[in-house]
């Protein structure tokens, strides 16, 4: 080994290195595949001495690549790449020229990518042999591949080279592009899935494998760890195919623990996205997926399948699959899941505090299970104490929706037990469109869904191709193809007549144009200096049609164009999209379904968009466009944004932007000012000179100056709301403390400012369309995702800022739904629960404290005082005691006075309804 290392240090050429690799790969050479000092020195010399001198841009020798398919080889590559990348990313190296280091990182990363072929893990695993330390080495190899070490090194390398790739040669840039996608989570997970599959096949088919059981357990451990690297659905995308499904099932069965975790984060989300996302699925498809899923459920011990089905992200089709797959797995499992769900569904505490969207999912699961349970089981359920208590608790609930779910389940249960004499509450008139839609699927008078014996993959493959064709067709549909548009002379003309489009007729005329042709020229052999095209044609360009002109982009006309403009890395198009996006979305929402067709794709692009070109007022324009999309597609966009708020990979600024857009869109739906009409900062004409203004500026101005761009609008709205709601309380407190003469006359101007001219007949009456949408599409999805994702713990860094903004968003949504929404009591109860849970964090976090105070003001304002005292007496008293203990210790003067105002209002209410509070507490003590 020493002789080989000396040869490598002596600057060998390619043929010599190939000979050394061939010699090492021979069986009679000293074992270099084990992690020891000699093997580490060998690979260190190869990486640092030999490889840089042989870099001529060509492919790596296959013998060299095969040599690195070992634990010490891969480990040495990963360690060296990480070290070099870290040296570039460190603060101390900002001014250092890293050209040589970047070239070396690029070379090693390309070699590592070639090493990570389909069989690299299996090769490295079995090269470890059967030494005494084999178990430790195998664990190290698993950690290297599935424990994020390889992936982290490639990600660091790609991130460090991104800022220097503009200085690369053509060969270096080509090499960088070949391996860069592997630094993305999804691509690496796909590669890892191929590695796991290849390792399993090698283990099963090889006759030389002695410890096959241990090897299969290693495959299971790889599978489990790979779900924690991000993009876990990419695993199922590779394995849930006709060719790999059996291998996947066998590897899954060798996972020692946490099998349900793989189902929850990878298999179930993939099945829903791949097969069950396009409207109501037919019975054959649901049956086939259920049979496939049941094979996994049978290998899990008491999987909480119905708990997963309650989550807001699970749709009706997936719930049908969950119920049927549980049935296939065994009637005992179905009965246990049903009984546990019935207990949770009827629990009084859960009825009052669990989001309604989750309760609706529970009800769907219960009703879907009725057709799969035996009749004698249903009769037993109807006579149990848990069922009777559940129905009683729901009939006594605060909101109509919760009571409706209780009556609905009771009706469906009796229809299954006694079809001739069903229970009927006569509440069909209260069913909304969504409830009617899933009741059609749940119709107990149908034949129901039963397990079929058809070939699973024939149905799944057909469904997959149909779904893809539907998806592609939807994405490329154009409104101009409709018959009505053709009759009106095209879609552009229709817009020009009805929407006041500023398109000029000359823009639609065909004019001769010379197209610039660019030949593919080898840049290395060209000495010509390229000159930029002018921004516009010369003055006499109309007289000379041979001149080359650079055409400017026009504003987007269709929603599809708007989406493509936002996706392109082009300054002009992104600027046009942001400037005209909000108006285009609102105009298109008045007719057709074009906005709904592209709503989620557009929301995803806007939510994750970055200011690549330093566009002026980028965040404000993006917020205005996204809030217009929320208002134009309120049934699709808010639930989608609520989901990606917690599950997406977004920065703090982007998450706050999502919450702000939901709030501003809701206010627009409720008849208040749209986002682009809100001026968060005062007009310059109303400001004093800068020096004087800083002396006399109020805390609200300071708040707006220091807020994040996306919070300024919401801070402005909440500050105005706080001032409006606390005004009367402040005046009462001042009059009690200061005393003095009473005001006998009030000027008309002051009356108008205080909103006391309620008899103004010229005031326009507006309809609050947001009231009916608030609970289901705004409030419940946000709270549901909050609890599903683990609340503040899932937010991570800067959680106090985001938690405060989240609570404030819910409070503003609740205020916007007042007074027309029938779900105000339910939403109030859920908001109070959130407030009570975050009081501890508010002591050290000013944003959370301010949001809690705003929420309490809104709750006290929109709910009747007597009803508030009767329903939430315990919470009101607890909040008052908490404020009494904390308000004087608040460091911020503005927030402290605000807290004092809220405390005064609570004290006033409690003094007025003291007798009722005493009665409520006596009744509470009597029930304990």
């Amino acid at each position: 080994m020493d002789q080989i290392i000396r040869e490598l240090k002596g600057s060998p050429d390619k043929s010599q290195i190939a000979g050394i690799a061939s010699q090492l790969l021979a069986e009679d050479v000293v074992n270099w595949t084990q992690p020891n000092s000699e093997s580490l020195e060998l690979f260190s010399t190869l990486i640092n001495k030999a490889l840089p001198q042989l870099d001529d841009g060509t492919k790596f020798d296959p013998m060299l690549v095969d040599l690195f398919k070992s634990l010490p080889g891969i480990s040495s590559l990963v360690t060296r790449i990480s070290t070099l990348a870290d040296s570039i990313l460190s603060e101390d190296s900002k001014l250092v020229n890293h050209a040589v280091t970047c070239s070396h990182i690029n070379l090693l990363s390309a070699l590592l990518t070639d090493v990570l072929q389909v069989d690299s893990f299996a090769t490295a695993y079995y090269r470890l042999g059967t030494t005494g330390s084999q178990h430790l080495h195998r664990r190290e190899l698993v950690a290297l591949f599935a424990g994020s070490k390889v992936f982290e090194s490639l990600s660091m390398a790609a991130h460090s080279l991104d800022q220097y790739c503009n200085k690369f040669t053509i060969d270096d840039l080509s090499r960088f592009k070949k391996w860069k996608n592997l630094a993305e989570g999804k691509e690496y997970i796909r590669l890892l899935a191929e590695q796991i599959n290849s390792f399993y096949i090698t283990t099963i088919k090889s006759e030389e494998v002695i410890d096959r059981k241990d090897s299969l357990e290693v495959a299971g451990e790889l599978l489990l760890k790979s779900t924690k690297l991000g993009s876990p659905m990419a695993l199922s995308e590779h394995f849930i195919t006709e060719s790999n499904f059996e291998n996947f099932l066998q590897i899954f069965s060798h996972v020692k623990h946490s099998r349900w975790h793989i189902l929850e984060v990878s298999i179930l989300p993939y099945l829903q996205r791949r097969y069950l996302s396009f409207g109501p699925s037919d019975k054959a498809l649901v049956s086939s997926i259920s049979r496939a899923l049941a094979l996994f459920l049978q290998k899990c011990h008491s999987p909480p399948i119905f708990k997963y089905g309650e989550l807001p992200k699970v749709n009706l089709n997936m719930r049908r699959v969950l119920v049927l797959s549980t049935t296939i797995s065994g009637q005992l499992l179905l009965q246990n899941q049903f009984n546990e769900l019935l207990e949770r569904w009827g629990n009084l505490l859960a009825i009052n505090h669990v989001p309604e969207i989750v309760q609706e999912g529970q009800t769907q699961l219960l009703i879907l299970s009725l057709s799969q349970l035996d009749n004698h089981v249903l009769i037993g359920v109807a006579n149990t104490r848990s069922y009777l208590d559940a129905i009683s608790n729901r009939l006594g609930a605060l909101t109509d929706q919760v009571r409706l779910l209780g009556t609905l389940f009771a009706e469906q249960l009796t229809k299954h037990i006694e079809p001739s004499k069903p229970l009927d509450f006569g509440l069909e008139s209260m069913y909304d469109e969504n409830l009617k839609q899933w009741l059609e699927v749940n119709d107990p008078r149908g034949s129901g869904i039963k397990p079929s014996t058809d070939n699973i993959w024939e149905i799944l493959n057909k469904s997959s191709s149909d779904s893809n064709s539907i998806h592609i067709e939807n994405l490329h549909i154009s409104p101009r193809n409709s018959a009505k548009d053709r009759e009106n002379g095209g879609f552009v003309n229709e817009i020009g007549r009805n929407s006041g489009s500023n398109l000029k007729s000359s823009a639609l005329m065909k004019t001769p144009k010379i197209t610039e042709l660019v030949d593919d020229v080898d840049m290395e052999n060209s000495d010509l200096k390229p000159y930029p095209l002018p921004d516009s044609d010369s003055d006499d360009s109309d007289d000379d049609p041979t001149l080359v002109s650079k055409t400017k982009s026009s504003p987007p006309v269709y929603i599809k164009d708007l989406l493509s403009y936002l996706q392109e890395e082009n300054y002009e198009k992104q600027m046009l999209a942001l400037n005209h996006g909000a108006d285009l979305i609102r105009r298109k929402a008045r007719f057709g379904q074009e906005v709904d067709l592209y709503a989620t794709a557009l929301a995803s692009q806007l939510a994750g968009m970055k200011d690549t070109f330093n566009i002026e007022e980028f965040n404000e324009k993006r917020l205005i466009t996204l809030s217009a999309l929320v208002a134009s597609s309120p049934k699709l966009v808010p639930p989608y944004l609520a989901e990606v708020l917690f599950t997406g990979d977004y920065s703090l600024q982007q998450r706050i932007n999502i919450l702000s857009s939901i709030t501003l869109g809701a206010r627009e739906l409720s008849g208040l000012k749209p986002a682009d009409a809100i001026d968060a900062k005062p007009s310059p004409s109303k400001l004093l000179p800068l020096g004087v203004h800083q002396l006399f500026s109020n805390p609200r101005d300071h708040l707006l100056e220091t807020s994040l761009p996306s919070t300024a609008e919401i801070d402005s709205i909440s500050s105005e709301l706080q001032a409006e709601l606390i005004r009367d309380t402040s005046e009462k407190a001042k009059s009690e403390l200061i005393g003095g003469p009473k005001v006998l006359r009030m000027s008309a101007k002051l009356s108008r400012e205080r909103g006391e001219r309620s008899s103004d007949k010229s005031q326009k009456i507006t309809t609050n369309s947001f009231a009916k949408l608030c609970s289901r599409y705004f409030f419940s999805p946000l709270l549901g995702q909050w609890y599903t994702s683990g609340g503040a713990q899932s937010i991570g860094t800067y959680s106090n800022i985001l938690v405060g903004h989240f609570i404030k968003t819910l409070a503003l949504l609740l205020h916007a739904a007042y007074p027309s929404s029938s779900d105000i009591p339910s939403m109030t109860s859920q908001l109070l629960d959130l407030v009570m849970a975050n009081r501890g964090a508010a002591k050290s976090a000013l944003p959370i404290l301010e949001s809690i105070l705003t929420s309490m003001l809104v709750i006290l304002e929109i709910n009747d005082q007597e009803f508030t005292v009767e329903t939430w007496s315990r919470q009101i008293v607890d909040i008052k005691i908490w404020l009494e203990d904390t308000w004087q210790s608040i460091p911020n003067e503005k927030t402290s006075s605000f807290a004092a105002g809220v405390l005064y209002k609570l004290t006033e209410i409690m003094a007025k309804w003291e007798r009722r509070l005493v009665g409520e507490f006596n009744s509470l003590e009597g029930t304990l």
Side-chain angles (χ1 to χ4, degrees):
M1 181 67 73
D2 293 337
Q3 178 63 29
I4 294 176
I5 293 175
R6 281 195 296 270
E7 292 179 11
L8 290 175
K9 291 180 179 179
S11 302
D13 56 19
K14 277 191 172 183
S15 60
Q16 291 175 318
I17 289 184
I20 292 173
S22 176
Q23 181 183 357
L24 288 170
L25 291 171
E27 296 182 0
D28 54 347
V29 177
V30 65
N31 191 0
W32 49 269
T33 60
Q34 304 292 330
N36 51 53
S37 58
E38 291 183 340
S39 62
L40 292 177
E41 185 180 3
L42 168 69
F43 286 108
S44 177
T45 306
L46 264 174
I47 291 170
N48 298 317
K49 300 292 184 181
L51 287 179
Q53 298 177 6
L54 300 177
D55 184 17
D56 56 1
T58 59
K59 292 183 178 181
F60 298 102
D61 187 273
M63 302 286 286
L64 179 65
V65 173
D66 193 23
L67 183 67
F68 273 93
K69 289 182 180 179
S70 62
L71 176 57
I74 299 174
S75 180
S76 298
L77 276 175
V78 168
T79 303
R80 187 57 179 164
I81 292 172
S82 300
T83 303
L84 293 174
D86 189 56
S87 67
I88 292 180
L89 297 174
S90 63
E91 290 292 333
D92 298 335
S93 62
K94 295 289 184 181
L95 303 178
V96 181
N97 186 2
H98 295 292
V100 177
T101 306
C102 289
S103 179
H104 197 189
I105 292 175
N106 197 16
L107 173 70
L108 297 181
S109 299
L111 175 59
L112 179 60
T113 304
D114 285 354
V115 171
L116 296 176
Q117 297 302 317
V118 178
D119 62 338
S120 61
F121 180 84
T123 303
Y125 180 86
Y126 288 113
R127 278 179 174 174
L128 289 173
T130 57
T131 60
S133 57
Q134 178 198 39
H135 181 68
L136 293 176
H137 293 161
R138 288 181 175 180
R139 290 179 64 86
E140 184 180 351
L141 188 64
V142 171
L144 198 62
F145 275 81
S148 77
K149 289 186 178 180
V150 173
F151 176 63
E152 280 185 1
S153 66
L154 289 173
S155 298
M156 288 178 63
H159 181 60
S160 62
L161 296 187
D162 270 333
Q163 50 190 326
Y164 295 101
C165 61
N166 57 342
K167 301 177 181 179
F168 280 177
T169 63
I170 293 179
D171 290 338
D172 284 339
L173 188 61
S174 175
R175 173 181 288 167
F176 179 51
K177 289 181 178 179
K178 286 181 180 178
W179 66 266
K180 185 182 178 182
N181 353 336
L182 203 58
E184 300 176 2
K186 191 172 183 180
E187 292 299 322
Y188 183 77
I189 294 298
R190 285 175 178 169
L191 174 66
L192 191 55
E194 294 176 357
Q195 297 276 4
I196 298 171
N197 196 31
S198 171
F199 176 65
Y200 171 78
I201 294 173
T202 304
T203 302
I204 292 298
K205 293 185 176 180
S206 177
E207 298 179 356
E208 300 178 359
V209 177
I210 300 175
D211 51 348
R212 183 171 281 110
K213 181 180 178 181
D214 292 341
S215 299
L216 292 175
E217 289 180 356
V218 168
E221 186 179 359
L222 269 177
L223 181 65
L224 178 61
K225 285 182 175 293
S226 59
T227 60
K228 301 174 183 179
L229 288 177
S231 303
M233 281 193 286
L235 277 173
S236 297
E237 185 177 358
H238 174 80
F239 278 112
I240 301 182
T241 60
E242 190 171 2
S243 57
N244 297 331
F245 184 78
E246 288 297 330
N247 295 348
F248 189 28
L249 191 61
Q250 292 301 319
I251 297 171
F252 180 84
S253 65
H254 285 88
V255 177
K256 284 186 175 181
H257 53 83
S258 302
R259 294 179 186 175
W260 169 251
H261 173 77
I262 300 174
L263 273 167
E264 184 180 20
V265 303
S266 179
I267 298 175
L268 294 175
Y270 173 75
L271 290 174
Q272 176 173 311
R273 189 193 67 179
R274 178 69 172 174
Y275 300 104
L276 304 169
S277 299
F278 300 94
S281 302
D282 57 27
K283 294 181 179 180
L285 177 60
V286 171
S287 177
S288 298
I289 297 177
S290 301
R291 289 164 56 201
L293 180 59
L295 298 174
F296 291 95
L297 292 179
Q298 291 166 1
K299 299 182 182 298
C300 297
H301 177 67
S302 300
I305 194 75
F306 278 17
K307 278 190 175 180
Y308 176 83
E310 299 172 10
L311 301 181
K313 63 183 179 181
V314 180
N315 62 20
L316 177 59
N317 290 328
M318 192 67 213
R319 290 184 178 123
R320 296 164 68 193
V321 168
L322 296 178
V323 171
L324 186 56
S325 60
T326 307
T327 305
I328 298 172
S329 301
Q331 274 287 322
L332 181 60
L333 177 61
L334 178 62
Q335 291 180 28
N336 292 336
Q337 293 288 318
F338 181 86
N339 292 332
E340 291 175 3
L341 177 59
L342 186 61
E343 290 285 345
R344 296 195 300 273
W345 181 78
N347 183 273
L348 183 59
L349 191 64
I351 289 173
N352 293 329
H353 301 289
V354 172
E356 288 184 7
I357 192 171
V358 176
Q359 297 188 45
E360 184 175 315
Q362 293 174 338
T363 309
Q364 286 184 7
L365 288 169
L366 288 173
I367 294 178
L368 285 167
S369 303
L370 295 178
S371 60
Q372 305 299 333
L373 291 168
D374 296 333
N375 197 54
H376 71 276
V377 176
L378 297 180
I379 294 174
V381 168
N383 295 322
T384 58
R385 177 70 178 271
S386 60
Y387 167 73
L388 298 175
D389 288 345
I391 298 300
S392 299
N393 291 338
R394 289 200 164 266
L395 292 178
L398 286 174
T399 61
D400 294 338
Q401 183 68 15
V402 175
R403 293 194 294 268
L404 186 63
L405 294 177
T407 59
L408 185 63
F409 176 65
E411 288 177 350
Q412 298 296 320
L413 179 60
T414 56
K415 284 182 181 180
H416 281 83
I417 296 175
E418 294 185 56
S420 58
K421 299 179 181 180
L423 184 64
D424 188 4
F425 288 92
L427 300 177
E428 286 80 4
S429 59
M430 298 180 62
Y431 296 170
D432 58 14
E433 296 180 2
N434 180 71
L435 192 58
K436 291 177 181 178
Q437 181 180 4
W438 65 263
L439 273 180
E440 291 177 0
V441 179
N442 297 335
D443 189 359
R445 289 167 291 186
S447 58
I449 306 175
K450 302 296 180 183
S452 65
T453 57
D454 299 333
N455 184 279
I456 292 177
W457 289 106
E458 286 182 5
I459 298 174
L460 293 185
N461 291 336
K462 180 179 182 301
S463 172
S464 181
S465 60
D466 292 344
S467 298
N468 287 336
S469 63
I470 292 173
H471 184 62
I472 293 172
E473 182 182 353
N474 285 343
L475 286 179
H476 290 84
I477 190 170
S478 176
R480 72 179 72 186
N481 293 329
S482 64
K484 180 180 178 181
D485 294 333
R486 288 194 296 269
E487 292 173 2
N488 292 332
F491 200 66
V492 174
N493 293 337
E494 184 72 13
I495 293 176
R497 288 196 302 271
N498 295 339
S499 305
S501 174
N502 57 3
L503 291 175
K504 297 181 180 180
S505 59
S506 60
L508 304 177
M509 298 174 59
K510 295 182 179 179
T511 55
K513 185 183 297 182
I514 303 298
T515 304
E516 181 186 6
L517 301 178
V518 180
D519 295 332
D520 294 332
V521 181
D522 187 358
M523 298 301 295
E524 289 185 341
N525 299 328
S526 175
D527 296 327
L528 299 176
K529 180 181 179 181
Y531 286 89
L533 290 170
D535 292 335
S536 60
D537 297 342
S538 57
D539 294 337
D540 59 344
S541 59
D542 294 335
D543 301 328
D544 188 359
T546 61
L547 292 176
V548 177
S549 62
K550 181 182 179 182
T551 58
K552 290 187 176 181
S553 301
S554 59
V557 179
Y558 305 115
I559 299 297
K560 183 172 69 173
D561 298 337
L562 176 63
L563 180 60
S564 65
Y565 274 35
L566 292 171
Q567 290 173 338
E568 287 191 33
E569 291 294 329
N570 183 290
Y571 170 79
E572 185 181 3
K573 289 189 175 182
Q574 287 192 9
M575 175 68 82
L576 287 171
L578 292 173
N579 287 338
H580 299 273
D583 291 337
L584 177 63
I585 290 170
R586 292 190 183 104
R587 188 168 67 242
K588 291 292 184 179
R590 296 172 190 156
F591 59 92
Q593 298 181 349
E594 189 180 0
V595 174
D596 288 343
L597 183 63
Y598 295 96
T600 54
L602 195 57
S604 176
Q605 180 63 29
L606 286 168
M609 192 175 178
K610 297 180 180 179
D611 188 11
T612 309
F613 302 103
N614 294 322
I615 298 174
E616 185 179 0
E617 296 183 346
F618 170 83
N619 288 308
E620 289 78 2
K621 293 176 180 178
R622 180 180 62 169
L623 177 61
I624 290 171
T625 307
L626 190 54
S627 62
L629 184 63
V630 169
S632 301
S633 185
K635 294 184 179 181
L636 295 177
V637 176
Y640 173 78
L641 291 179
E643 180 180 354
V644 300
L645 175 67
F646 294 98
T647 60
D649 185 14
Y650 295 117
S651 65
L652 172 68
Q653 175 67 61
Q654 290 169 331
R655 292 177 194 269
I656 289 178
N657 187 276
I658 290 173
L659 287 172
S660 300
S661 65
I662 293 175
T663 304
L664 296 175
R667 288 175 59 84
E668 183 175 345
L669 283 170
S670 65
L672 300 172
K673 291 181 181 180
D676 46 2
I678 296 175
D679 187 10
K681 297 182 179 180
S683 172
S685 62
K686 297 183 179 181
L687 295 177
L688 296 169
L690 182 60
V692 183
H693 170 70
Q694 291 176 351
L695 292 175
F696 296 98
S697 60
N698 57 44
R700 177 177 171 273
D701 294 334
H702 176 70
L703 173 66
L704 294 176
E705 291 170 3
T706 57
S707 296
L708 290 169
S710 295
T711 66
E713 291 82 356
I714 305 304
D715 290 336
S716 174
I717 294 170
S718 62
S719 296
E720 292 176 3
L721 182 61
Q722 292 165 9
E724 178 186 347
L725 299 183
I726 207 71
R727 182 186 298 122
D728 294 338
T729 304
S730 300
E731 291 179 356
K732 288 181 182 179
K734 288 178 182 178
S735 63
E736 290 180 5
L737 293 173
I738 301 174
K742 302 292 183 181
V743 177
L744 301 178
R745 181 181 177 277
M746 184 179 292
S747 67
K749 181 180 179 181
L750 189 58
S751 297
R752 284 195 301 270
E753 290 178 355
R754 298 194 177 187
E756 295 181 2
R757 299 187 62 183
S758 57
S759 60
D760 187 1
K761 297 182 179 179
S762 63
Q763 185 177 2
K764 185 178 178 181
I765 300 175
T766 59
T767 302
N768 189 351
S769 58
F770 173 69
K772 295 181 179 180
L773 303 171
C774 178
S775 177
R776 175 167 187 80
Y777 299 105
F778 288 78
F779 202 91
S780 292
L782 280 171
L783 262 182
Q785 291 295 337
W786 168 273
Y787 290 119
T788 299
S789 305
Q793 297 178 356
S794 64
I795 296 175
T797 311
Y798 305 110
S799 60
N800 290 337
I801 299 174
L802 197 53
V803 170
H805 203 65
F806 181 83
I807 298 175
K808 190 182 295 183
T809 297
L810 294 177
L812 293 176
L813 290 177
L814 183 59
H815 184 265
Y818 174 77
S820 307
S821 177
S822 60
D823 299 313
I824 284 179
S826 173
M827 292 188 288
T828 300
S829 181
Q830 296 175 51
L831 181 57
L832 267 175
D833 291 340
L834 191 62
V835 166
M836 299 291 287
N838 286 277
R839 285 179 301 164
K843 292 181 179 180
S844 58
L846 201 61
I848 299 179
L849 177 60
E850 186 184 352
S851 66
I852 287 178
L853 296 174
T854 304
S855 301
M856 290 307 302
L857 263 185
V858 171
I859 290 171
L860 296 175
E861 175 68 21
I862 68 176
N863 290 283
D864 179 72
Q865 290 185 2
E866 184 178 2
F867 179 76
T868 302
V869 170
E870 287 181 352
T871 310
W872 304 292
S873 55
R874 175 70 68 181
Q875 292 92 325
I876 294 298
V877 172
D878 288 347
I879 290 290
K880 178 180 177 295
I881 295 173
W882 173 68
L883 281 177
E884 287 176 341
D885 295 337
T886 59
W887 78 272
Q888 291 181 330
S889 61
I890 298 174
N892 184 278
E893 182 179 354
K894 173 181 177 292
T895 308
S896 178
S897 60
F898 183 26
V902 176
L903 178 59
Y904 183 89
K905 195 162 189 174
L906 285 170
T907 305
E908 184 183 32
I909 293 174
M910 292 180 64
K912 182 178 180 181
W913 300 97
E914 185 176 3
R915 289 176 174 268
R916 183 60 57 85
L917 275 171
V918 172
E920 290 295 326
F921 276 102
N922 288 337
S923 62
L924 282 173
E925 291 175 0
T927 58
L928 295 178

